[in-house]
Amino acid sequence: EANGAEVVVESADVSDETALRGVIERAKNRFGAIHGVFHLAGALDDDLILLKDAERARRVLTPKVQGTVALDRALGETKLDLFVLFSSRSSVSGVAGQIDYTAANAFLDAFAYARQARDGTPTVAVGWGAWRDVGMAAALADRAAESDYSEWEPIEHPLLDRMRKEPERGAQFLGEYALGRRWMLDEHRLRRGNALIPGSGYLELAREAFLQYANGNGGGAIELSDILFTSPFFVPDGQARELRVRVVARDGRYGFTIGGRPVDPAASRWEIHARGTIQPSSRAPGRTDVAAIRARCRKRTREFQGIVEHAHLDFGPRWGCLRTIGYGNDEALLELELPSDFAGDTEQHGLHPAILDLATGAAQELIEDYDAATHFYVPASYGSVTVFRSLPARVLSHVRYRAAGGAGNDIAVFDITLFDEAGGELADISEFVMVRVTDPMHASAAGGDYEDDEPVVAGAASAPAIDLTNAIRPDEGIAALSRLLRRGTPPHVLALPENLNRILAELDEAAAPVPAREAQRAQPAIDLGPLERALDDHPAVREAAGLAHEERPGDIRIVAFVAFATGEHATVSELRRYLRASLDESLVPNMVTEVDALPRTPAGDIDREALPNPFVKEDEFVAPRTPTELAIAAIWKDLLGLRRVGIHDNFLDVGGHSLVGVRALLQIEKATGVRLHPNLLTLQTLEQIAAECDRLNAERGGSGETSPERPAEAPSSGGISNRLFSAVRQAVRGGQT
């Protein structure tokens, strides 16, 4: 305008050809002709391809694909001096989590060649790197640094401070957590360690956020499902952390994430501590035969007065609510009642964190070989939690234990029903999973991940971590565009603030097949002598060796190689229980690999360099072929940091363990619609697991609907030894049917 031009703003859906024709006609009527077109529309929706559905991908593809086609058709026979499309370097290098965005930009690149060849109009798709200050990447970064809460609505709740609803998308809730401010934090802390939110607290946070968003849900039941705890929310003494609950509306269901970060306006990344889904439930509460349960749970009774003693945790007075536990066969009946000083808590907490924590986790003596002095189990996940009404001050809890076969006693699975004294059902909990950890400071079922703030961008569901330090400034971008248009360019050109060859070289390296020995890194300096001597003392073991692998920085896994004596054998679980009796937990191997004999040097010493790396297949590699095999392989690679996974690989063989297994099972269910029994993950190969998923989906008519009540059954180990199973698997691979 300063140069004498006139600017007119029109608004239309770029994918609507009719609407665009109207804009073009109005522009021609005002200015007489159209000489150039710049197409800059776009949308983001970051997520793994496994979790994308067609509708979410469509929202990203539409502005660039349908929008470009509609714009081209609406222009008709208009003679242009230039047609400029804003593409992205993602079409050349790809961007993690943006399969649809990458494809949309690749379409722009191809369209530029096609249009120029069609009528000779100078057409160029500019593959930009990230811009700073303007554009989608800058909007993400700006919102992440936002510290002005003036638009947030204060709320009255002990766990949350303020909320902001986002029309048609969901809501966000914030709370500042510091000792002395939240009793849930003050009364739940590690011995000689930090305070942390109990797993039950995440359920109450999600429930309260959903009810605030849904205006109470009409007082009906709600169901939380697929809940995964990814990392603990610690608050060190003298510090504070900000907590955020996000509720995102999707197709009649609502996802939630609970994240935390330091109280610092510059802190843009939220570490995710829990995630799941939540929605209204039409289930009606049932009634429980309290007398029958009491009769079955009289084998042994424990009574409590005051706060429960725990070997690893220090509790506050609200955790003094456990009164009795009666044990039966793989079940227990717990009676809980809040101390009278805190009975009023139930008016504000529908799922009181202290009651729920003990009602679900206090019957750990049901676990095989449980040792309260040394074993530390933490919540890992919930299959589903249906809440029929708020918990009163006095609650009964019926806990049923079912062993997680194939994982020893590292994983414990419970089903739980909470009811009042008359047997009226309060809540029903399915597949509550607890995992045993060795380091309380890393008490989580899966590695923590991060989630950034996001602007209200059409289709955006999450955002990548963005560093715009060296991104393109607006003045640089305008100057670069001007040079491109003056010089005349081929239909596709890249404009990047970084070296493309370096980017592509890094991608090539990441995608390259793993040589046989490449992943066998230098061993961490750990004395495995005690492990080897303990194994040598086992009556079934002829010889043994141990190796420590650091697959990721700080992630050390110990592998034991065992050759059994003639006619002898022992299962992995038997060996690990045997070792725990005499070794520190840190030396108990994550996995045990059977060998016929240990490789020896000419001098007779163990040739440790010749021991196979169990985390990398050295031969017989067959790449995944079917969509289900590809989906499961991608999950394993992501969780275990692997570059390749073959159809003959077993989850344990490639470095999986019980903690990561919980997350793998949930992700496989989300990707395939099949809920697997843990035994399948530990006993079968990827090929067999994928075939089982396909079989069950075919039986359901390909609906992909999960069946929480009856997970895919696992082959019974029935005393099968590790040695026999290994031999059978090798025979099958070799065609010795």
Side-chain angles (χ1 to χ4, degrees), residues 600-618:
R600 299 281 178 175
T601 66
D605 298 324
I606 297 174
D607 184 359
R608 299 183 187 277
E609 291 297 320
L611 287 169
N613 182 350
F615 302 123
V616 178
K617 297 305 298 179
E618 298 191 13

Side-chain angles (χ1 to χ4, degrees), residues 317-324 334-340 343 355 392-396 421:
R318 287 175 174 82
W319 266 259
C321 59
L322 183 59
R323 296 292 177 257
T324 66
L334 289 68
E335 298 183 8
L336 306 101
E337 184 174 10
L338 271 178
S340 57
I355 293 178
R394 181 171 173 79
V395 171
L396 301 180
E421 291 185 278

Side-chain angles (χ1 to χ4, degrees), residues 36 242 290 359 368 425 469 472 474 505 516 534 556 562 607 635 651 730:
E242 193 171 26
V290 180
E368 181 183 3
E425 194 172 10
T469 305
I472 301 169
I556 297 174
V562 175
D607 184 359
I635 292 169
F651 188 71
Q730 292 298 325

Side-chain angles (χ1 to χ4, degrees), residues 12-13 81 159 166 193 214 264 376 434 589 612 636 657 674 688:
D13 180 349
D81 295 333
L159 303 181
E166 300 170 349
D264 178 1
F376 185 25
M434 302 190 78
W636 291 10
H657 51 85
V674 174
Q688 293 168 319

Side-chain angles (χ1 to χ4, degrees), residues 375-390:
H375 292 176
F376 185 25
Y377 285 83
V378 299
S381 64
Y382 288 85
S384 67
V385 179
T386 303
V387 183
F388 300 107
R389 56 189 176 96
S390 297

